[in-house]
Amino acid sequence: MSGKILGIGIIAAALIFGAVVYYTQVFYYYYDLPAEEAEVLLTPLDGTAPRAIAFEDFEGIDATSSPIRYRACFSTSESPQTLDPLFERYEGSEPRNAPFWFGCFDAEDIGDEIAAGTAHVYTSQRNIEFGIDRVVAVTDDGRGYIWEEINECGDKAYDGTPLGEDCPER
């Protein structure tokens, strides 16, 4: 009889622990970004400081637990065709999944648009935090998405290989 009680106690503790871990990863650490403080910045081709572009309908989230949990959606009157001659493209980016409850950001759909060429990805800010770049995707129909990517220096730093001279100071 005491074995059953012990087994039930272990299973109950594991379920409670699992529920707490799930809640913290999917809900707890995230917070909404105020739209009135938002900026959509792109890095010009000439390498000068990032410049703001016009946008509206901003929705964004970030989290304190990871530097790559930033996600945002917006709309803009700009198109990739007008942005391409002015701003630096970001090659090789792949949007990361957002929490299911942040409905405007569907990483699979955004990735499909990038692959199809109907969305172009631009550098927003390099090394917004050491090893992390912020990128912006703009679609042909004026929808925009922002997320953060681990750059080459971040890959090196996080896997333990020497950084090299082209990486900034931490």
Side-chain angles (χ1 to χ4, degrees):
M1 184 68 164
S2 64
K4 285 182 184 181
I5 294 172
L6 181 63
I8 290 171
I10 290 171
I11 291 171
L15 288 173
I16 291 169
F17 180 76
V20 168
V21 168
Y22 175 80
Y23 174 79
T24 58
Q25 291 302 308
V26 177
F27 297 102
Y28 180 75
Y29 291 109
Y30 283 98
Y31 58 91
D32 290 327
L33 298 171
E36 56 276 356
E37 295 175 20
E39 285 187 303
V40 177
L41 301 173
L42 300 180
T43 299
L45 286 171
D46 63 9
T48 57
R51 292 193 338 228
I53 64 168
F55 70 93
E56 52 192 29
D57 304 325
F58 183 89
E59 291 180 63
I61 57 172
D62 201 356
T64 57
S65 61
S66 171
I68 58 172
R69 287 196 169 185
Y70 185 101
R71 304 285 186 284
C73 307
F74 62 93
S75 60
T76 183
S77 58
E78 303 287 348
S79 72
Q81 292 72 27
T82 60
L83 297 173
D84 281 351
L86 303 172
F87 297 104
E88 180 183 313
R89 295 282 297 269
Y90 195 94
E91 299 302 326
S93 66
E94 208 173 290
R96 288 170 171 58
N97 289 329
F100 69 88
W101 50 265
F102 190 61
C104 72
F105 195 98
D106 185 332
E108 188 175 328
D109 287 347
I110 299 165
D112 290 345
E113 289 204 53
I114 293 168
T118 57
H120 294 186
V121 182
Y122 303 93
T123 302
S124 174
Q125 294 173 278
R126 292 214 180 261
N127 289 302
I128 196 153
E129 183 173 317
F130 179 82
I132 306 296
D133 295 337
R134 184 168 290 169
V135 299
V136 174
V138 177
T139 66
D140 287 339
D141 61 356
R143 288 175 292 120
Y145 307 95
I146 307 171
W147 69 93
E148 293 178 346
E149 292 276 342
I150 299 174
N151 62 29
E152 191 174 314
C153 294
D155 281 338
K156 289 178 183 177
Y158 301 130
D159 74 8
T161 58
L163 293 181
E165 293 183 21
D166 57 338
C167 291
E169 291 293 319
R170 272 193 113 142

